[in-house]
Amino acid sequence: MAGIDAASTFIPVCIAILTISDTRTAAEDKSGNLLEAMIAEAGHTLAGRKLVRDDVDAIRGTIQSWIDDRAVDCVITTGGTGFTGRDVTPEAVKPLFEKEIEGFAILFHMLSYGKVGTSTIQSRACAGVARGTYIFCLPGSPGACRDAWDGILKLQLDARHQPCNFVEIMPRLEEHRKG
């Protein structure tokens, strides 16, 4: 049965947040603020937070710097996952993935469909792993961030979640580089 094993030990994850927007300022970053609050409430550590414009180089450069930082376990982006001309988050981030987590997008859309119906089709939420760092790209709305956190990330980033979770396999993400 899926759920939290109370007998297991919680392991905090170091998570960085990247907000991607041409229109928001740090003061107006409701999605980033919400993610930061949910991360803290869950007992994780905020490893960094930044806001960049919808620009492939700015997005990729920031995420690459966090991938290179061994103190960052996970990056969550918010914004830029639509398909208007300025929405370039998947184009910026997917080339960094060594492995894509296809199930994340599928599950996100299933959860989102229950809230916003067919409008979920307008999101290109995605996730992957790069050099041992998890990367989750979420839409820019607070509702979408809450859905992704509450419905997927809160559980998968908790080492006590059974039958399996992302935390327990973190030490093995780079095993192909050893030897």
Side-chain angles (χ1 to χ4, degrees), residues 18-21 52-65 77 79-80 86-90 92-93 96 137:
L18 178 62
T19 299
I20 300 148
S21 178
V52 298
R53 297 183 62 73
D54 290 280
D55 175 80
V56 170
D57 292 333
I59 297 164
R60 191 175 294 158
T62 300
I63 292 176
Q64 185 64 59
S65 73
T77 75
R86 296 292 299 154
D87 291 324
V88 296
T89 299
V93 179
L96 299 173
C137 301

Side-chain angles (χ1 to χ4, degrees), residues 38-76:
M38 292 186 297
I39 287 166
E41 183 180 321
H44 298 297
T45 303
L46 183 65
R49 183 166 171 194
K50 191 169 180 181
L51 187 146
V52 298
R53 297 183 62 73
D54 290 280
D55 175 80
V56 170
D57 292 333
I59 297 164
R60 191 175 294 158
T62 300
I63 292 176
Q64 185 64 59
S65 73
W66 283 334
I67 292 168
D68 292 342
D69 185 345
R70 301 316 307 159
V72 177
D73 300 314
C74 176
V75 175
I76 301 175

Side-chain angles (χ1 to χ4, degrees), residues 13-173:
V13 176
C14 295
I15 304 170
I17 300 168
L18 178 62
T19 299
I20 300 148
S21 178
D22 283 341
T23 58
R24 291 186 189 150
T25 65
E28 302 165 331
D29 184 11
K30 292 179 183 176
S31 295
N33 291 340
L34 177 63
L35 285 167
E36 184 173 347
M38 292 186 297
I39 287 166
E41 183 180 321
H44 298 297
T45 303
L46 183 65
R49 183 166 171 194
K50 191 169 180 181
L51 187 146
V52 298
R53 297 183 62 73
D54 290 280
D55 175 80
V56 170
D57 292 333
I59 297 164
R60 191 175 294 158
T62 300
I63 292 176
Q64 185 64 59
S65 73
W66 283 334
I67 292 168
D68 292 342
D69 185 345
R70 301 316 307 159
V72 177
D73 300 314
C74 176
V75 175
I76 301 175
T77 75
T78 176
T81 63
F83 50 90
T84 67
R86 296 292 299 154
D87 291 324
V88 296
T89 299
E91 290 77 12
V93 179
K94 282 186 173 187
L96 299 173
F97 292 167
E98 292 170 353
K99 295 187 179 183
E100 190 164 356
I101 306 170
E102 292 93 350
F104 174 81
I106 294 165
L107 185 52
F108 174 79
H109 285 295
M110 288 172 55
L111 293 168
S112 182
Y113 182 78
K115 304 278 177 92
V116 299
T118 60
S119 293
T120 189
I121 202 167
Q122 294 187 31
S123 165
R124 297 182 298 146
C126 59
V129 178
R131 290 193 36 230
T133 303
Y134 291 111
I135 304 165
F136 302 96
C137 301
L138 311 180
S141 76
C145 290
R146 180 174 298 286
D147 292 345
W149 181 263
D150 288 345
I152 305 169
L153 299 176
K154 180 179 177 180
L155 297 172
Q156 282 298 300
L157 294 175
D158 190 328
R160 302 168 300 170
H161 184 264
Q162 297 300 318
C164 58
N165 59 75
F166 289 142
V167 179
E168 67 189 357
I169 61 172
M170 284 171 65
R172 297 182 49 217
L173 293 176

